Amino acid sequence: MTTHGEAVGPSAQSAVPAVESKKDQVSPVRADLSDGTRSGPARPANKENGITPVAPPPAVGRIVAALNRLHTALGTVSYPLVLPSAEEARRVGSALLAQLDDYLLPRLARLDAPLLVVVGGSTGAGKSTLVNSLIQEPVTTAGVLRPTTRSPVLVAHPENLGWFEQPHLLPGLIRTVKTSDDPNSLQVIGARGIGPGLALLDAPDVDSVVDHNRKLAAQLLAAADLWLFVTTAARYADAVPWELLKTARLRGTVIALVLDRVPLDAAAEISAHLGEMLTEHDLGAAPLFVLPETELDSRGMLPAPVIQPMQQWFARLSADPAARDAVARQTLDGALAALVPVVNGLAEAAEDQTRAAQALDERAAAAYRAAKQTVREGLQDGRLLRGEVLARWQEFVGTGEFLRTLESRVGALRDRFVAAVTGRPEPSRKLQTALESQLVTLLRGVATDAAEQAYTSWQQHPAGEPLLLPELKSASATLPEKTDRMVRDWQKWVLDLVRREAGDKRSVARGAAYAVNGAGLAVMIAVFTSTAFIPTGLEVAVGAGTTVAAQKVLEAVFGDQAIRTLATRARTELVARFDELLDAEAARYTERTAAVRLDAEPGTLLRRAAAEVESARKDIALTGSGS
């Protein structure tokens, strides 16, 4: 039967897992954490903070550089889209960044630094009482009310205070020497009740109802060289602590356990059951201290016979630099080895983001491709020759008489046309306005339809709906103004084109500006048909013959090939301007996924960084095996 306060499992001498410690006799080096690429001679090997510096392996510079590249990659990759993998990826990515800053990089910078023992456990497990009893000083206050919100407390031998007072480990926590209610501070206390080379950190409850306390507890545990997990006879089977124990095991963290407040008559049964659970979770080799249910002494501490076995265990660890080095190396190596599968999981989540962003972009692009196709069809099927445009065109050219004399009097028609456009500015203005209105109406209509289609398609995607804004359901508020300006600019471009091409045509030049304007309007009418005035049944029916008339007039003025070329160029220019406006409308959607597209092949970036860390880890061979 286990006696109270006795370590169950490995003896106190063998509590630390058997790990071959590296004793390479090389000149000391210190990693430069500014960029992770330099290492060089350190200060002489004299005592610093009570610890004689031990030279890290020469490969430390490479692994620090690899970790810094991984740090950069983790900070670059984001998970903004709402996907099943995103929330967990954000949490894990943030935790990995914290572990790099809080533990991995600082520990690699000084492998000989004092060992940090984080005391963690469930609410009311007696962590603070245990720390005070081990130190034999009231260094940390046990919480009377739950949840207790206060800063974590770190206790170190006075010789080691200099290391922990500086922000080496856990640089995000503000150091203080007084008790504080600020959860972002770390109270650092010196006490001779703990031997040199060790520090105890009393962490918040791992199952606290206060979210910040839970997160801080997890952060502190990830920075531990050794995790002293405290539970009770009533709470040892709770799910939350076992999840954290599993995480610590996967990270390779060295673990010791304390089973507190065990009734005398149930000690054997509870110890045996807990031992079975530890074995089931691959933690059977972890030291286990069983503390009986007992009265505290007048100072609020555990009686000496109960706490003495643990005090002796820590005293032996303090007195054995090789054992401390083995603990630090095993935990460090385990944490480094655990990075690869975790980072690969983040790479998968990042690729989920990329695939989702591409799918959303394609849905928006499809809607606006359809809009562009509708524009092209509208410029080809004669629909724009109906209504107001047709009426104003007939008014402009005097359709009735124009058609009656079409076949026999082309030359006279040409003269009449020139006379008409030089002497009838008002009808030309009305026609230009009608053309402008028809084009504006076409673009606004297709843009509105495209916005609605894109909106609906995003609603049907799990990552799309959270990105939608009400204004995306319709065309942009600035589209009417942009469309008006675009059509006017295009009309001006057509007139400039006609002016350049007709510079040597005396019949047009004779009419000066009005003649150019009239010819330009006829070119714009030509754009509204697919065949550049080659008459078809549809065009004749739609335009009541006016397209044929216009073709003959323009051929007489410019020549057959010239009018075809002008119409084609004008149509190409108009389509390009339409496309530009529709691309700007589509960008309102693709801008919503831009954060994902900023990451160039994020999965590849993360996997490459993790592979570099793993390769460097094997080179440094912290546990002597290199694997």
Side-chain angles (χ1 to χ4, degrees):
M1 177 177 175
T2 302
T3 58
H4 306 308
E6 181 181 355
V8 177
S11 66
Q13 292 287 358
S14 62
V16 176
V19 178
E20 180 183 349
S21 59
K22 300 284 286 184
K23 300 183 182 296
D24 304 323
Q25 297 302 315
V26 296
S27 57
V29 297
R30 181 170 62 250
D32 185 340
L33 299 183
S34 61
D35 61 29
T37 58
R38 294 183 292 134
S39 61
R43 66 189 69 184
N46 60 348
K47 282 198 172 186
E48 179 184 352
N49 300 323
I51 302 295
T52 301
V54 176
V60 69
R62 180 186 171 199
I63 196 166
V64 168
L67 287 173
N68 275 304
R69 285 190 288 272
L70 175 60
H71 192 291
T72 300
L74 289 169
T76 299
V77 179
S78 60
Y79 312 88
L81 301 182
V82 179
L83 292 171
S85 60
E87 183 176 356
E88 178 69 3
R90 286 191 288 269
R91 184 191 67 78
V92 171
S94 177
L96 277 185
L97 284 170
Q99 191 181 30
L100 286 167
D101 291 333
D102 294 344
Y103 170 66
L104 289 171
L105 290 170
R107 172 52 78 185
L108 280 166
R110 283 292 302 273
L111 288 171
D112 59 321
L115 207 65
L116 179 62
V117 181
V118 175
V119 183
S122 305
T123 301
K127 300 184 299 297
S128 298
T129 300
L130 179 64
V131 171
N132 290 338
S133 301
L134 287 169
I135 304 300
Q136 287 295 295
E137 289 184 38
V139 292
T140 178
T141 304
V144 178
L145 300 176
R146 301 292 175 185
T148 301
T149 302
R150 57 175 174 76
S151 62
V153 178
L154 186 150
V155 187
H157 191 279
E159 292 181 2
N160 300 145
L161 278 181
W163 171 258
F164 292 106
E165 287 173 342
Q166 297 300 315
H168 300 298
L169 296 170
L170 300 163
L173 297 180
I174 302 170
R175 271 49 176 180
T176 177
V177 296
K178 297 181 180 180
T179 302
S180 172
D181 291 333
D182 182 359
N184 294 312
S185 64
L186 175 65
Q187 185 182 0
V188 180
I189 299 173
R192 294 191 176 275
I194 185 171
L198 290 178
L200 295 178
L201 195 161
D202 184 12
D205 303 329
V206 298
D207 55 357
S208 173
V209 297
V210 177
D211 185 58
H212 185 277
N213 283 359
R214 292 196 310 276
K215 291 180 178 178
L216 181 58
Q219 179 184 0
L220 297 177
L221 291 170
D225 295 304
L226 188 155
W227 184 12
L228 184 62
F229 176 70
V230 185
T231 187
T232 66
R235 302 287 303 276
Y236 71 89
D238 288 358
V240 172
W242 282 101
E243 282 298 316
L244 289 173
L245 283 169
K246 177 182 177 182
T247 300
R249 178 183 61 78
L250 292 174
R251 284 178 178 165
T253 305
V254 178
I255 302 171
L257 296 99
V258 178
L259 181 61
D260 196 8
R261 300 173 188 164
V262 181
L264 290 175
D265 58 356
E269 181 182 355
I270 293 174
S271 298
H273 184 222
L274 178 56
E276 292 174 359
M277 294 183 69
L278 289 170
T279 301
E280 182 182 345
H281 288 82
D282 296 329
L283 292 169
L288 172 61
F289 296 93
V290 180
L291 306 182
E293 195 171 41
T294 184
E295 294 290 333
L296 302 180
D297 64 19
S298 60
R299 300 174 301 165
M301 300 182 188
L302 294 168
V306 172
I307 198 65
Q308 188 176 22
M310 290 188 66
Q311 288 177 317
Q312 292 174 345
W313 188 76
F314 277 113
R316 283 191 287 269
L317 187 58
S318 171
D320 188 350
R324 294 199 310 274
D325 183 59
V327 169
R329 285 170 177 269
Q330 177 173 321
T331 296
L332 179 57
D333 185 68
L336 291 169
L339 288 176
V340 173
V342 175
V343 174
N344 285 341
L346 292 177
E348 285 291 335
E351 288 165 350
D352 286 346
Q353 295 278 315
T354 300
R355 286 189 290 268
Q358 290 172 344
L360 290 172
D361 287 350
E362 174 55 30
R363 292 186 179 202
Y368 284 92
R369 276 199 304 271
K372 292 177 181 179
Q373 183 59 31
T374 301
V375 167
R376 285 162 173 74
E377 291 172 356
L379 295 177
Q380 293 173 353
D381 61 14
R383 76 181 70 172
L384 297 179
L385 289 176
R386 297 181 177 92
E388 184 72 9
V389 171
L390 178 58
R392 295 307 176 190
W393 170 249
Q394 290 173 336
E395 177 185 352
F396 178 64
V397 298
T399 304
E401 182 180 356
F402 205 75
L403 286 174
R404 283 194 301 270
T405 56
L406 177 61
E407 295 297 334
S408 59
R409 297 173 59 193
V410 170
L413 285 173
R414 180 189 59 203
D415 294 339
R416 186 182 295 275
F417 176 77
V418 173
V421 299
T422 57
R424 301 177 63 194
E426 185 59 28
S428 70
R429 180 58 195 153
K430 290 180 180 179
L431 175 58
Q432 187 173 352
T433 301
L435 287 166
E436 179 180 331
S437 176
Q438 196 82 311
L439 290 171
V440 167
T441 300
L442 174 64
L443 181 56
R444 291 183 187 176
V446 297
T448 298
D449 290 344
E452 291 176 353
Q453 291 172 17
Y455 193 95
T456 300
S457 67
W458 275 35
Q459 275 185 317
Q460 297 168 353
H461 192 289
E465 187 168 11
L467 295 176
L468 290 172
L469 300 173
E471 55 266 29
L472 291 176
K473 196 171 186 178
S474 57
S476 65
T478 59
L479 181 67
E481 177 184 351
K482 290 180 179 178
T483 306
D484 290 345
R485 183 169 60 251
M486 184 276 287
V487 173
R488 287 195 298 270
D489 289 345
W490 174 75
Q491 289 177 326
K492 182 177 181 297
W493 182 91
V494 171
L495 295 178
D496 289 342
L497 175 66
V498 169
R499 185 176 295 108
R500 291 194 303 272
E501 295 296 325
D504 60 345
K505 304 294 183 180
R506 288 177 296 172
S507 56
V508 175
R510 187 172 59 212
Y514 287 144
V516 171
N517 189 54
L521 288 170
V523 170
M524 295 176 201
I525 289 292
V527 170
F528 284 17
T529 62
S530 62
T531 53
F533 281 120
I534 299 174
T536 67
L538 175 62
E539 291 172 7
V540 172
V542 170
T546 57
T547 56
V548 179
Q551 179 184 4
K552 294 299 182 181
V553 170
L554 290 175
E555 286 178 357
V557 174
F558 292 96
D560 175 60
Q561 186 57 44
I563 186 55
R564 293 173 185 273
T565 301
L566 288 173
T568 299
R569 291 175 63 184
R571 181 184 296 107
T572 300
E573 179 68 19
L574 180 59
V575 167
R577 293 178 185 236
F578 268 129
D579 286 353
E580 184 178 351
L581 278 184
L582 289 172
D583 286 342
E585 290 291 293
R588 298 183 307 145
Y589 279 89
T590 54
E591 285 170 358
R592 307 293 294 163
T593 59
V596 178
R597 293 197 306 279
L598 289 177
D599 302 331
E601 299 184 357
T604 301
L605 178 67
L606 289 173
R607 288 191 179 89
R608 183 184 300 120
E612 289 178 0
V613 171
E614 178 62 7
S615 175
R617 181 189 73 85
K618 291 179 178 179
D619 283 351
I620 201 172
L622 289 165
T623 61
S625 63
S627 61

